[in-house]
Amino acid sequence: NAGVTQTPKFQVLKTGQSMTLQCAQDMNHEYMSWYRQDPGMGLRLIHYSVGAGITDQGEVPNGYNVSRSTTEDFPLRLLSAAPSQTSVYFCASSYSRGGGLASPLHFGNGTRLTVT
Amino acid sequence: GQQVMQIPQYQHVQEGEDFTTYCNSSTTLSNIQWYKQRPGGHPVFLIQLVKSGEVKKQKRLTFQFGEAKKNSSLHITATQTTDVGTYFCAEPRVRQAGTALIFGKGTTLSVSS
């Protein structure tokens, strides 16, 4: 049981390049999300998904795209990388709950991205 | 949307001293979760509090949920070097497509022996 798998672990991009951060989970979780972590800023929600075909913006969505074609995968696309997107990116998943409740998140090991 | 407020941002203690981090929200929370992130690692779920006034313990860690469900705290008794890391609280936030977890900025704990 691998849990949440993120690839790559490290990536260096040049300004303007595009790339996709991969996230896969094998726990049959409906809910998946992407966070970025910057010093002193905590974890900020980029995008989330409550099931295949359903995605929504989080707190800091600009410059990022997502799609959810399967329950298992939730890739994060950087369209045109900028130095401000230098960060550590975490993917997380959980079972979905309604009514304003949330289930505990399972995090991947993170992707450290540097944009020069 | 405003992040849930967490204080202090940093705390340094001597091994054996106690430590507390606080989480405050302007709105009534349905529940609150706590996570720990070791240096270089990923956040790991610690506990979830749901009921007003709830107190839960995990060995030397005590978690409290306020009576009004607007604040929460994590208290560590007699800290050890293994407690080093960043502690986050997280609140569920109803958004357009569903409920997402919003994290506080965290409290980073350092412990000297």
Side-chain angles (χ1 to χ4, degrees), chain A residues 31 35 37 40 48 56-59 90 97 100-105 107-109, chain B residues 9 30 33 35 37 42-43 45 48 88 92 95-102:
Chain A
Y31 178 90
Y35 293 88
Q37 184 172 31
Y48 71 99
D56 189 23
Q57 296 180 350
E59 303 169 284
F90 287 102
R97 297 176 71 181
L101 298 174
S103 297
L105 288 175
F107 282 82
N109 288 331
Chain B
Q9 188 174 359
S30 59
Q33 298 181 13
Y35 291 77
Q37 182 180 25
H42 60 274
F45 172 76
Q48 179 169 266
F88 294 98
R95 302 182 69 89
Q96 185 171 350
T99 300
L101 265 180
I102 304 300

PDB file of all heavy atoms in Angstrom, chain A residues 31 35 37 40 48 56-59 90 97 100-105 107-109, chain B residues 9 30 33 35 37 42-43 45 48 88 92 95-102:
ATOM      1  N   TYR A  31     -11.454  12.590  -2.236  1.00  0.00           N
ATOM      2  CA  TYR A  31     -10.949  13.957  -2.111  1.00  0.00           C
ATOM      3  C   TYR A  31      -9.444  13.972  -2.333  1.00  0.00           C
ATOM      4  O   TYR A  31      -8.692  13.195  -1.729  1.00  0.00           O
ATOM      5  CB  TYR A  31     -11.284  14.499  -0.723  1.00  0.00           C
ATOM      6  CG  TYR A  31     -10.774  15.888  -0.454  1.00  0.00           C
ATOM      7  CD1 TYR A  31     -11.536  17.012  -0.749  1.00  0.00           C
ATOM      8  CD2 TYR A  31      -9.518  16.092   0.112  1.00  0.00           C
ATOM      9  CE1 TYR A  31     -11.081  18.283  -0.505  1.00  0.00           C
ATOM     10  CE2 TYR A  31      -9.044  17.371   0.357  1.00  0.00           C
ATOM     11  CZ  TYR A  31      -9.828  18.460   0.049  1.00  0.00           C
ATOM     12  OH  TYR A  31      -9.368  19.724   0.287  1.00  0.00           O
ATOM     13  N   TYR A  35      -1.303  21.565  -2.113  1.00  0.00           N
ATOM     14  CA  TYR A  35      -0.899  22.683  -1.273  1.00  0.00           C
ATOM     15  C   TYR A  35       0.511  23.088  -1.675  1.00  0.00           C
ATOM     16  O   TYR A  35       1.307  22.276  -2.120  1.00  0.00           O
ATOM     17  CB  TYR A  35      -0.883  22.290   0.204  1.00  0.00           C
ATOM     18  CG  TYR A  35      -2.238  21.986   0.802  1.00  0.00           C
ATOM     19  CD1 TYR A  35      -2.774  20.712   0.743  1.00  0.00           C
ATOM     20  CD2 TYR A  35      -2.966  22.975   1.449  1.00  0.00           C
ATOM     21  CE1 TYR A  35      -4.012  20.429   1.299  1.00  0.00           C
ATOM     22  CE2 TYR A  35      -4.210  22.705   2.016  1.00  0.00           C
ATOM     23  CZ  TYR A  35      -4.712  21.430   1.927  1.00  0.00           C
ATOM     24  OH  TYR A  35      -5.943  21.149   2.483  1.00  0.00           O
ATOM     25  N   GLN A  37       3.881  25.064   0.127  1.00  0.00           N
ATOM     26  CA  GLN A  37       4.408  25.467   1.430  1.00  0.00           C
ATOM     27  C   GLN A  37       5.599  26.378   1.222  1.00  0.00           C
ATOM     28  O   GLN A  37       6.604  25.985   0.612  1.00  0.00           O
ATOM     29  CB  GLN A  37       4.821  24.252   2.266  1.00  0.00           C
ATOM     30  CG  GLN A  37       5.278  24.630   3.658  1.00  0.00           C
ATOM     31  CD  GLN A  37       5.493  23.429   4.558  1.00  0.00           C
ATOM     32  OE1 GLN A  37       5.858  22.351   4.109  1.00  0.00           O
ATOM     33  NE2 GLN A  37       5.252  23.605   5.850  1.00  0.00           N
ATOM     34  N   GLY A  40       7.148  30.565   6.513  1.00  0.00           N
ATOM     35  CA  GLY A  40       6.318  31.543   7.210  1.00  0.00           C
ATOM     36  C   GLY A  40       4.894  31.655   6.711  1.00  0.00           C
ATOM     37  O   GLY A  40       4.120  32.449   7.238  1.00  0.00           O
ATOM     38  N   TYR A  48      -8.399  21.756  -5.383  1.00  0.00           N
ATOM     39  CA  TYR A  48      -8.838  20.514  -4.773  1.00  0.00           C
ATOM     40  C   TYR A  48      -9.885  19.856  -5.662  1.00  0.00           C
ATOM     41  O   TYR A  48     -10.423  20.477  -6.584  1.00  0.00           O
ATOM     42  CB  TYR A  48      -9.390  20.748  -3.358  1.00  0.00           C
ATOM     43  CG  TYR A  48     -10.724  21.467  -3.321  1.00  0.00           C
ATOM     44  CD1 TYR A  48     -11.910  20.769  -3.159  1.00  0.00           C
ATOM     45  CD2 TYR A  48     -10.781  22.852  -3.453  1.00  0.00           C
ATOM     46  CE1 TYR A  48     -13.133  21.425  -3.125  1.00  0.00           C
ATOM     47  CE2 TYR A  48     -11.987  23.516  -3.423  1.00  0.00           C
ATOM     48  CZ  TYR A  48     -13.160  22.807  -3.254  1.00  0.00           C
ATOM     49  OH  TYR A  48     -14.364  23.454  -3.234  1.00  0.00           O
ATOM     50  N   ASP A  56     -11.973  22.381  -8.117  1.00  0.00           N
ATOM     51  CA  ASP A  56     -12.298  23.743  -7.724  1.00  0.00           C
ATOM     52  C   ASP A  56     -11.025  24.434  -7.276  1.00  0.00           C
ATOM     53  O   ASP A  56     -10.054  23.782  -6.868  1.00  0.00           O
ATOM     54  CB  ASP A  56     -13.337  23.749  -6.595  1.00  0.00           C
ATOM     55  CG  ASP A  56     -13.870  25.154  -6.296  1.00  0.00           C
ATOM     56  OD1 ASP A  56     -13.800  26.022  -7.191  1.00  0.00           O
ATOM     57  OD2 ASP A  56     -14.345  25.362  -5.172  1.00  0.00           O
ATOM     58  N   GLN A  57     -11.055  25.768  -7.341  1.00  0.00           N
ATOM     59  CA  GLN A  57      -9.903  26.558  -6.930  1.00  0.00           C
ATOM     60  C   GLN A  57      -9.804  26.625  -5.413  1.00  0.00           C
ATOM     61  O   GLN A  57     -10.804  26.630  -4.710  1.00  0.00           O
ATOM     62  CB  GLN A  57     -10.021  27.976  -7.495  1.00  0.00           C
ATOM     63  CG  GLN A  57      -9.988  28.026  -9.012  1.00  0.00           C
ATOM     64  CD  GLN A  57     -10.106  29.439  -9.539  1.00  0.00           C
ATOM     65  OE1 GLN A  57     -10.397  30.370  -8.783  1.00  0.00           O
ATOM     66  NE2 GLN A  57      -9.867  29.613 -10.826  1.00  0.00           N
ATOM     67  N   GLY A  58      -8.567  26.745  -4.956  1.00  0.00           N
ATOM     68  CA  GLY A  58      -8.320  26.964  -3.544  1.00  0.00           C
ATOM     69  C   GLY A  58      -7.976  28.417  -3.284  1.00  0.00           C
ATOM     70  O   GLY A  58      -8.513  29.323  -3.925  1.00  0.00           O
ATOM     71  N   GLU A  59      -7.047  28.644  -2.361  1.00  0.00           N
ATOM     72  CA  GLU A  59      -6.676  29.998  -1.952  1.00  0.00           C
ATOM     73  C   GLU A  59      -5.722  30.683  -2.934  1.00  0.00           C
ATOM     74  O   GLU A  59      -5.748  31.903  -3.085  1.00  0.00           O
ATOM     75  CB  GLU A  59      -6.002  29.946  -0.578  1.00  0.00           C
ATOM     76  CG  GLU A  59      -6.842  29.297   0.517  1.00  0.00           C
ATOM     77  CD  GLU A  59      -6.000  29.043   1.741  1.00  0.00           C
ATOM     78  OE1 GLU A  59      -5.195  28.070   1.722  1.00  0.00           O
ATOM     79  OE2 GLU A  59      -6.131  29.798   2.720  1.00  0.00           O
ATOM     80  N   PHE A  90       2.798  19.893  -1.944  1.00  0.00           N
ATOM     81  CA  PHE A  90       2.296  18.662  -1.338  1.00  0.00           C
ATOM     82  C   PHE A  90       0.938  18.315  -1.925  1.00  0.00           C
ATOM     83  O   PHE A  90       0.061  19.164  -2.042  1.00  0.00           O
ATOM     84  CB  PHE A  90       2.144  18.818   0.178  1.00  0.00           C
ATOM     85  CG  PHE A  90       3.434  18.825   0.920  1.00  0.00           C
ATOM     86  CD1 PHE A  90       3.973  20.011   1.378  1.00  0.00           C
ATOM     87  CD2 PHE A  90       4.103  17.636   1.181  1.00  0.00           C
ATOM     88  CE1 PHE A  90       5.167  20.028   2.074  1.00  0.00           C
ATOM     89  CE2 PHE A  90       5.301  17.639   1.871  1.00  0.00           C
ATOM     90  CZ  PHE A  90       5.835  18.843   2.317  1.00  0.00           C
ATOM     91  N   ARG A  97     -16.271  13.954   3.021  1.00  0.00           N
ATOM     92  CA  ARG A  97     -17.377  14.060   3.962  1.00  0.00           C
ATOM     93  C   ARG A  97     -18.159  15.313   3.613  1.00  0.00           C
ATOM     94  O   ARG A  97     -17.605  16.279   3.129  1.00  0.00           O
ATOM     95  CB  ARG A  97     -16.856  14.150   5.402  1.00  0.00           C
ATOM     96  CG  ARG A  97     -16.109  12.910   5.838  1.00  0.00           C
ATOM     97  CD  ARG A  97     -15.539  13.092   7.216  1.00  0.00           C
ATOM     98  NE  ARG A  97     -16.573  13.084   8.240  1.00  0.00           N
ATOM     99  CZ  ARG A  97     -16.317  13.244   9.534  1.00  0.00           C
ATOM    100  NH1 ARG A  97     -15.085  13.459   9.930  1.00  0.00           N
ATOM    101  NH2 ARG A  97     -17.285  13.226  10.418  1.00  0.00           N
ATOM    102  N   GLY A 100     -19.711  20.327   5.776  1.00  0.00           N
ATOM    103  CA  GLY A 100     -18.706  21.138   6.440  1.00  0.00           C
ATOM    104  C   GLY A 100     -17.733  20.346   7.289  1.00  0.00           C
ATOM    105  O   GLY A 100     -16.945  20.922   8.028  1.00  0.00           O
ATOM    106  N   LEU A 101     -17.769  19.035   7.181  1.00  0.00           N
ATOM    107  CA  LEU A 101     -16.814  18.208   7.904  1.00  0.00           C
ATOM    108  C   LEU A 101     -15.700  17.758   6.963  1.00  0.00           C
ATOM    109  O   LEU A 101     -15.878  17.728   5.755  1.00  0.00           O
ATOM    110  CB  LEU A 101     -17.516  16.971   8.481  1.00  0.00           C
ATOM    111  CG  LEU A 101     -18.610  17.253   9.493  1.00  0.00           C
ATOM    112  CD1 LEU A 101     -19.316  15.979   9.888  1.00  0.00           C
ATOM    113  CD2 LEU A 101     -18.040  17.949  10.721  1.00  0.00           C
ATOM    114  N   ALA A 102     -14.566  17.418   7.508  1.00  0.00           N
ATOM    115  CA  ALA A 102     -13.441  16.993   6.690  1.00  0.00           C
ATOM    116  C   ALA A 102     -12.788  15.779   7.318  1.00  0.00           C
ATOM    117  O   ALA A 102     -12.695  15.682   8.543  1.00  0.00           O
ATOM    118  CB  ALA A 102     -12.433  18.122   6.539  1.00  0.00           C
ATOM    119  N   SER A 103     -12.319  14.873   6.497  1.00  0.00           N
ATOM    120  CA  SER A 103     -11.605  13.695   6.965  1.00  0.00           C
ATOM    121  C   SER A 103     -10.113  13.987   7.040  1.00  0.00           C
ATOM    122  O   SER A 103      -9.623  14.900   6.377  1.00  0.00           O
ATOM    123  CB  SER A 103     -11.842  12.517   6.017  1.00  0.00           C
ATOM    124  OG  SER A 103     -13.198  12.156   5.993  1.00  0.00           O
ATOM    125  N   PRO A 104      -9.371  13.237   7.848  1.00  0.00           N
ATOM    126  CA  PRO A 104      -7.920  13.449   7.932  1.00  0.00           C
ATOM    127  C   PRO A 104      -7.240  13.279   6.584  1.00  0.00           C
ATOM    128  O   PRO A 104      -7.583  12.388   5.808  1.00  0.00           O
ATOM    129  CB  PRO A 104      -7.475  12.357   8.909  1.00  0.00           C
ATOM    130  CG  PRO A 104      -8.676  12.084   9.737  1.00  0.00           C
ATOM    131  CD  PRO A 104      -9.840  12.239   8.814  1.00  0.00           C
ATOM    132  N   LEU A 105      -6.279  14.146   6.321  1.00  0.00           N
ATOM    133  CA  LEU A 105      -5.547  14.108   5.054  1.00  0.00           C
ATOM    134  C   LEU A 105      -4.322  13.200   5.163  1.00  0.00           C
ATOM    135  O   LEU A 105      -3.629  13.174   6.182  1.00  0.00           O
ATOM    136  CB  LEU A 105      -5.079  15.504   4.667  1.00  0.00           C
ATOM    137  CG  LEU A 105      -6.140  16.488   4.186  1.00  0.00           C
ATOM    138  CD1 LEU A 105      -5.522  17.853   3.958  1.00  0.00           C
ATOM    139  CD2 LEU A 105      -6.800  15.979   2.914  1.00  0.00           C
ATOM    140  N   PHE A 107      -0.777  12.833   3.278  1.00  0.00           N
ATOM    141  CA  PHE A 107       0.091  13.627   2.423  1.00  0.00           C
ATOM    142  C   PHE A 107       1.120  12.765   1.707  1.00  0.00           C
ATOM    143  O   PHE A 107       1.592  11.757   2.238  1.00  0.00           O
ATOM    144  CB  PHE A 107       0.838  14.677   3.251  1.00  0.00           C
ATOM    145  CG  PHE A 107       0.014  15.878   3.605  1.00  0.00           C
ATOM    146  CD1 PHE A 107      -0.850  15.844   4.679  1.00  0.00           C
ATOM    147  CD2 PHE A 107       0.109  17.048   2.860  1.00  0.00           C
ATOM    148  CE1 PHE A 107      -1.627  16.953   5.013  1.00  0.00           C
ATOM    149  CE2 PHE A 107      -0.651  18.157   3.181  1.00  0.00           C
ATOM    150  CZ  PHE A 107      -1.515  18.109   4.255  1.00  0.00           C
ATOM    151  N   GLY A 108       1.480  13.239   0.499  1.00  0.00           N
ATOM    152  CA  GLY A 108       2.637  12.693  -0.180  1.00  0.00           C
ATOM    153  C   GLY A 108       3.909  13.292   0.400  1.00  0.00           C
ATOM    154  O   GLY A 108       3.867  14.156   1.283  1.00  0.00           O
ATOM    155  N   ASN A 109       5.054  12.846  -0.124  1.00  0.00           N
ATOM    156  CA  ASN A 109       6.338  13.300   0.411  1.00  0.00           C
ATOM    157  C   ASN A 109       6.775  14.657  -0.115  1.00  0.00           C
ATOM    158  O   ASN A 109       7.774  15.204   0.346  1.00  0.00           O
ATOM    159  CB  ASN A 109       7.423  12.274   0.111  1.00  0.00           C
ATOM    160  CG  ASN A 109       7.263  11.019   0.951  1.00  0.00           C
ATOM    161  OD1 ASN A 109       6.737  11.067   2.061  1.00  0.00           O
ATOM    162  ND2 ASN A 109       7.689   9.891   0.410  1.00  0.00           N
TER     163      ASN A 109
ATOM    164  N   GLN B   9       4.362  31.855  16.222  1.00  0.00           N
ATOM    165  CA  GLN B   9       4.905  31.330  14.973  1.00  0.00           C
ATOM    166  C   GLN B   9       6.105  30.435  15.248  1.00  0.00           C
ATOM    167  O   GLN B   9       6.309  29.434  14.569  1.00  0.00           O
ATOM    168  CB  GLN B   9       5.300  32.477  14.047  1.00  0.00           C
ATOM    169  CG  GLN B   9       5.698  32.016  12.643  1.00  0.00           C
ATOM    170  CD  GLN B   9       5.941  33.174  11.690  1.00  0.00           C
ATOM    171  OE1 GLN B   9       5.790  34.340  12.057  1.00  0.00           O
ATOM    172  NE2 GLN B   9       6.317  32.852  10.452  1.00  0.00           N
ATOM    173  N   SER B  30     -16.840  23.474  12.632  1.00  0.00           N
ATOM    174  CA  SER B  30     -17.507  22.176  12.790  1.00  0.00           C
ATOM    175  C   SER B  30     -16.555  21.170  13.420  1.00  0.00           C
ATOM    176  O   SER B  30     -16.950  20.333  14.223  1.00  0.00           O
ATOM    177  CB  SER B  30     -17.987  21.669  11.432  1.00  0.00           C
ATOM    178  OG  SER B  30     -16.895  21.547  10.541  1.00  0.00           O
ATOM    179  N   GLN B  33      -8.566  19.990  13.003  1.00  0.00           N
ATOM    180  CA  GLN B  33      -7.581  18.936  12.959  1.00  0.00           C
ATOM    181  C   GLN B  33      -6.202  19.504  13.281  1.00  0.00           C
ATOM    182  O   GLN B  33      -5.931  20.685  13.060  1.00  0.00           O
ATOM    183  CB  GLN B  33      -7.556  18.303  11.556  1.00  0.00           C
ATOM    184  CG  GLN B  33      -8.870  17.650  11.157  1.00  0.00           C
ATOM    185  CD  GLN B  33      -8.824  17.021   9.783  1.00  0.00           C
ATOM    186  OE1 GLN B  33      -7.759  16.839   9.190  1.00  0.00           O
ATOM    187  NE2 GLN B  33      -9.990  16.663   9.250  1.00  0.00           N
ATOM    188  N   TYR B  35      -1.936  18.665  12.844  1.00  0.00           N
ATOM    189  CA  TYR B  35      -0.917  17.921  12.110  1.00  0.00           C
ATOM    190  C   TYR B  35       0.463  18.288  12.639  1.00  0.00           C
ATOM    191  O   TYR B  35       0.673  19.391  13.141  1.00  0.00           O
ATOM    192  CB  TYR B  35      -0.975  18.267  10.609  1.00  0.00           C
ATOM    193  CG  TYR B  35      -2.214  17.761   9.905  1.00  0.00           C
ATOM    194  CD1 TYR B  35      -3.438  18.412  10.057  1.00  0.00           C
ATOM    195  CD2 TYR B  35      -2.165  16.635   9.098  1.00  0.00           C
ATOM    196  CE1 TYR B  35      -4.582  17.949   9.425  1.00  0.00           C
ATOM    197  CE2 TYR B  35      -3.306  16.164   8.449  1.00  0.00           C
ATOM    198  CZ  TYR B  35      -4.503  16.828   8.627  1.00  0.00           C
ATOM    199  OH  TYR B  35      -5.635  16.359   7.994  1.00  0.00           O
ATOM    200  N   GLN B  37       4.589  18.244  11.345  1.00  0.00           N
ATOM    201  CA  GLN B  37       5.513  18.079  10.232  1.00  0.00           C
ATOM    202  C   GLN B  37       6.937  18.123  10.778  1.00  0.00           C
ATOM    203  O   GLN B  37       7.382  19.146  11.283  1.00  0.00           O
ATOM    204  CB  GLN B  37       5.314  19.172   9.184  1.00  0.00           C
ATOM    205  CG  GLN B  37       6.205  19.038   7.956  1.00  0.00           C
ATOM    206  CD  GLN B  37       5.962  20.150   6.949  1.00  0.00           C
ATOM    207  OE1 GLN B  37       5.501  21.235   7.286  1.00  0.00           O
ATOM    208  NE2 GLN B  37       6.259  19.892   5.677  1.00  0.00           N
ATOM    209  N   HIS B  42       6.738  15.496   5.612  1.00  0.00           N
ATOM    210  CA  HIS B  42       5.414  15.950   5.205  1.00  0.00           C
ATOM    211  C   HIS B  42       4.497  15.982   6.424  1.00  0.00           C
ATOM    212  O   HIS B  42       4.754  15.303   7.420  1.00  0.00           O
ATOM    213  CB  HIS B  42       4.838  15.018   4.124  1.00  0.00           C
ATOM    214  CG  HIS B  42       4.700  13.596   4.564  1.00  0.00           C
ATOM    215  ND1 HIS B  42       5.719  12.688   4.478  1.00  0.00           N
ATOM    216  CD2 HIS B  42       3.646  12.935   5.101  1.00  0.00           C
ATOM    217  CE1 HIS B  42       5.307  11.528   4.928  1.00  0.00           C
ATOM    218  NE2 HIS B  42       4.057  11.651   5.330  1.00  0.00           N
ATOM    219  N   PRO B  43       3.418  16.775   6.379  1.00  0.00           N
ATOM    220  CA  PRO B  43       2.499  16.817   7.503  1.00  0.00           C
ATOM    221  C   PRO B  43       1.863  15.452   7.763  1.00  0.00           C
ATOM    222  O   PRO B  43       1.503  14.738   6.827  1.00  0.00           O
ATOM    223  CB  PRO B  43       1.444  17.833   7.067  1.00  0.00           C
ATOM    224  CG  PRO B  43       2.129  18.671   6.040  1.00  0.00           C
ATOM    225  CD  PRO B  43       3.049  17.731   5.321  1.00  0.00           C
ATOM    226  N   PHE B  45      -1.161  13.621  10.164  1.00  0.00           N
ATOM    227  CA  PHE B  45      -2.349  13.846  10.978  1.00  0.00           C
ATOM    228  C   PHE B  45      -2.124  13.367  12.408  1.00  0.00           C
ATOM    229  O   PHE B  45      -1.611  12.261  12.648  1.00  0.00           O
ATOM    230  CB  PHE B  45      -3.531  13.099  10.350  1.00  0.00           C
ATOM    231  CG  PHE B  45      -4.778  13.092  11.178  1.00  0.00           C
ATOM    232  CD1 PHE B  45      -5.577  14.225  11.265  1.00  0.00           C
ATOM    233  CD2 PHE B  45      -5.162  11.967  11.886  1.00  0.00           C
ATOM    234  CE1 PHE B  45      -6.738  14.230  12.019  1.00  0.00           C
ATOM    235  CE2 PHE B  45      -6.322  11.950  12.642  1.00  0.00           C
ATOM    236  CZ  PHE B  45      -7.110  13.084  12.708  1.00  0.00           C
ATOM    237  N   GLN B  48      -8.314  14.809  15.497  1.00  0.00           N
ATOM    238  CA  GLN B  48      -9.444  15.631  15.090  1.00  0.00           C
ATOM    239  C   GLN B  48     -10.335  15.857  16.303  1.00  0.00           C
ATOM    240  O   GLN B  48     -10.622  14.934  17.066  1.00  0.00           O
ATOM    241  CB  GLN B  48     -10.234  14.931  13.985  1.00  0.00           C
ATOM    242  CG  GLN B  48     -11.452  15.685  13.510  1.00  0.00           C
ATOM    243  CD  GLN B  48     -12.031  15.079  12.242  1.00  0.00           C
ATOM    244  OE1 GLN B  48     -11.716  15.492  11.140  1.00  0.00           O
ATOM    245  NE2 GLN B  48     -12.865  14.082  12.420  1.00  0.00           N
ATOM    246  N   PHE B  88       0.577  22.229  12.894  1.00  0.00           N
ATOM    247  CA  PHE B  88      -0.454  22.967  12.169  1.00  0.00           C
ATOM    248  C   PHE B  88      -1.835  22.597  12.690  1.00  0.00           C
ATOM    249  O   PHE B  88      -2.115  21.432  12.947  1.00  0.00           O
ATOM    250  CB  PHE B  88      -0.435  22.617  10.679  1.00  0.00           C
ATOM    251  CG  PHE B  88       0.782  23.041   9.928  1.00  0.00           C
ATOM    252  CD1 PHE B  88       1.813  22.150   9.680  1.00  0.00           C
ATOM    253  CD2 PHE B  88       0.891  24.343   9.453  1.00  0.00           C
ATOM    254  CE1 PHE B  88       2.935  22.545   8.973  1.00  0.00           C
ATOM    255  CE2 PHE B  88       2.009  24.749   8.745  1.00  0.00           C
ATOM    256  CZ  PHE B  88       3.040  23.842   8.497  1.00  0.00           C
ATOM    257  N   PRO B  92     -11.993  22.899   8.398  1.00  0.00           N
ATOM    258  CA  PRO B  92     -12.737  22.659   7.163  1.00  0.00           C
ATOM    259  C   PRO B  92     -13.441  23.927   6.712  1.00  0.00           C
ATOM    260  O   PRO B  92     -13.984  24.668   7.522  1.00  0.00           O
ATOM    261  CB  PRO B  92     -13.742  21.577   7.558  1.00  0.00           C
ATOM    262  CG  PRO B  92     -13.926  21.751   9.020  1.00  0.00           C
ATOM    263  CD  PRO B  92     -12.651  22.301   9.562  1.00  0.00           C
ATOM    264  N   ARG B  95     -16.548  25.231   0.381  1.00  0.00           N
ATOM    265  CA  ARG B  95     -16.273  25.984  -0.835  1.00  0.00           C
ATOM    266  C   ARG B  95     -17.252  25.538  -1.911  1.00  0.00           C
ATOM    267  O   ARG B  95     -18.165  24.760  -1.668  1.00  0.00           O
ATOM    268  CB  ARG B  95     -14.826  25.782  -1.257  1.00  0.00           C
ATOM    269  CG  ARG B  95     -13.823  26.193  -0.178  1.00  0.00           C
ATOM    270  CD  ARG B  95     -12.394  26.033  -0.640  1.00  0.00           C
ATOM    271  NE  ARG B  95     -12.051  26.993  -1.677  1.00  0.00           N
ATOM    272  CZ  ARG B  95     -11.574  28.202  -1.430  1.00  0.00           C
ATOM    273  NH1 ARG B  95     -11.376  28.591  -0.196  1.00  0.00           N
ATOM    274  NH2 ARG B  95     -11.262  29.010  -2.422  1.00  0.00           N
ATOM    275  N   GLN B  96     -17.008  26.036  -3.123  1.00  0.00           N
ATOM    276  CA  GLN B  96     -17.980  25.848  -4.191  1.00  0.00           C
ATOM    277  C   GLN B  96     -18.254  24.382  -4.503  1.00  0.00           C
ATOM    278  O   GLN B  96     -19.390  23.964  -4.675  1.00  0.00           O
ATOM    279  CB  GLN B  96     -17.497  26.570  -5.452  1.00  0.00           C
ATOM    280  CG  GLN B  96     -18.478  26.543  -6.596  1.00  0.00           C
ATOM    281  CD  GLN B  96     -18.060  27.441  -7.740  1.00  0.00           C
ATOM    282  OE1 GLN B  96     -17.124  28.230  -7.625  1.00  0.00           O
ATOM    283  NE2 GLN B  96     -18.733  27.337  -8.853  1.00  0.00           N
ATOM    284  N   ALA B  97     -17.199  23.586  -4.563  1.00  0.00           N
ATOM    285  CA  ALA B  97     -17.366  22.189  -4.977  1.00  0.00           C
ATOM    286  C   ALA B  97     -17.452  21.236  -3.797  1.00  0.00           C
ATOM    287  O   ALA B  97     -17.789  20.070  -3.978  1.00  0.00           O
ATOM    288  CB  ALA B  97     -16.228  21.768  -5.897  1.00  0.00           C
ATOM    289  N   GLY B  98     -17.144  21.714  -2.615  1.00  0.00           N
ATOM    290  CA  GLY B  98     -17.153  20.823  -1.464  1.00  0.00           C
ATOM    291  C   GLY B  98     -16.407  21.437  -0.305  1.00  0.00           C
ATOM    292  O   GLY B  98     -16.182  22.643  -0.262  1.00  0.00           O
ATOM    293  N   THR B  99     -16.020  20.600   0.631  1.00  0.00           N
ATOM    294  CA  THR B  99     -15.331  21.061   1.837  1.00  0.00           C
ATOM    295  C   THR B  99     -13.845  20.804   1.709  1.00  0.00           C
ATOM    296  O   THR B  99     -13.422  19.678   1.434  1.00  0.00           O
ATOM    297  CB  THR B  99     -15.890  20.340   3.072  1.00  0.00           C
ATOM    298  OG1 THR B  99     -17.291  20.642   3.175  1.00  0.00           O
ATOM    299  CG2 THR B  99     -15.176  20.802   4.323  1.00  0.00           C
ATOM    300  N   ALA B 100     -13.046  21.851   1.912  1.00  0.00           N
ATOM    301  CA  ALA B 100     -11.593  21.731   1.826  1.00  0.00           C
ATOM    302  C   ALA B 100     -10.983  22.112   3.162  1.00  0.00           C
ATOM    303  O   ALA B 100     -11.571  22.867   3.939  1.00  0.00           O
ATOM    304  CB  ALA B 100     -11.046  22.631   0.720  1.00  0.00           C
ATOM    305  N   LEU B 101      -9.808  21.596   3.448  1.00  0.00           N
ATOM    306  CA  LEU B 101      -9.103  21.908   4.690  1.00  0.00           C
ATOM    307  C   LEU B 101      -8.192  23.107   4.476  1.00  0.00           C
ATOM    308  O   LEU B 101      -7.369  23.118   3.556  1.00  0.00           O
ATOM    309  CB  LEU B 101      -8.272  20.717   5.153  1.00  0.00           C
ATOM    310  CG  LEU B 101      -8.898  19.769   6.164  1.00  0.00           C
ATOM    311  CD1 LEU B 101      -7.946  18.655   6.510  1.00  0.00           C
ATOM    312  CD2 LEU B 101      -9.300  20.503   7.435  1.00  0.00           C
ATOM    313  N   ILE B 102      -8.327  24.095   5.331  1.00  0.00           N
ATOM    314  CA  ILE B 102      -7.495  25.293   5.300  1.00  0.00           C
ATOM    315  C   ILE B 102      -6.588  25.268   6.524  1.00  0.00           C
ATOM    316  O   ILE B 102      -7.069  25.115   7.654  1.00  0.00           O
ATOM    317  CB  ILE B 102      -8.352  26.565   5.294  1.00  0.00           C
ATOM    318  CG1 ILE B 102      -9.331  26.547   4.117  1.00  0.00           C
ATOM    319  CG2 ILE B 102      -7.461  27.804   5.246  1.00  0.00           C
ATOM    320  CD1 ILE B 102      -8.676  26.471   2.757  1.00  0.00           C
TER     321      ILE B 102
END
